[in-house]
């Protein structure tokens, strides 16, 4: 039987040089640059630039593009110094397959 850590690691994509992105408050009152070290369908490991002290980290956005058009809503699951683990939250009404991938919404016709 495989542990949850082994299953998670098997589905993770690691970035050798990191992927530059940023985290931002839901209400856009703060943001921090960060580097994504790895990611899976369900979450990611980030190295954050700057202090996290005093920030509301229960829910926030992980902004993946400079224009802000690619993003994921996240919640903090682990904090270790400048490294954080985040879980991706599904959008309201979004369904998820057993593999963790979002499924297309059925037509409402």
């Amino acid at each position: 039987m495989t542990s949850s850590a082994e299953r998670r690691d098997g589905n993770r994509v690691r970035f050798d040089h990191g992927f530059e992105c940023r985290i931002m408050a839901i209400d856009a009152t703060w943001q921090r640059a960060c580097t994504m070290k790895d990611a899976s369908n369900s979450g990611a490991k980030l190295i954050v630039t700057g202090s996290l002290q005093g920030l509301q980290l229960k829910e926030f956005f992980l902004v993946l593009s400079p224009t802000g058009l690619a993003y994921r809503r996240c919640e903090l699951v682990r904090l270790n110094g400048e490294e954080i683990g985040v879980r991706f939250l599904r959008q309201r009404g979004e369904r998820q397959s057993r593999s963790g991938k979002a499924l297309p919404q059925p037509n409402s016709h």
Side-chain angles (χ1 to χ4, degrees):
M1 177 174 248
T2 59
S3 72
S4 63
E6 288 170 334
R7 284 191 305 267
R8 183 188 71 214
D9 288 342
N11 294 327
R12 290 205 166 252
V13 174
R14 294 185 190 340
F15 302 100
D16 289 338
H17 302 289
F19 179 82
E20 298 301 316
C21 51
R22 59 193 158 104
I23 58 174
M24 182 176 71
I26 297 296
D27 64 1
T29 56
W30 58 263
Q31 63 179 325
R32 297 288 184 277
C34 60
T35 302
M36 187 183 310
K37 300 303 283 182
D38 66 42
S40 71
N41 287 333
S42 61
K45 183 191 317 180
L46 310 171
I47 306 296
V48 179
T49 305
S51 174
L52 295 172
Q53 193 145 12
L55 300 182
Q56 174 65 315
L57 291 172
K58 179 168 175 44
E59 270 190 47
F60 54 92
F61 290 114
L62 173 61
V63 183
L64 301 166
S65 70
T67 61
L69 294 176
Y71 63 90
R72 294 295 304 258
R73 194 171 188 134
C74 300
E75 70 178 345
L76 180 69
V77 292
R78 186 176 48 80
L79 174 61
N80 184 14
E82 65 182 13
E83 182 180 290
I84 64 173
V86 301
R87 176 179 303 122
F88 298 139
L89 300 174
R90 292 184 291 174
Q91 299 296 330
R92 188 181 321 270
E94 180 182 25
R95 298 180 316 149
Q96 204 166 12
S97 71
R98 288 183 155 212
S99 69
K101 295 180 181 174
L103 295 173
Q105 294 300 307
N107 291 335
S108 59
H109 305 296

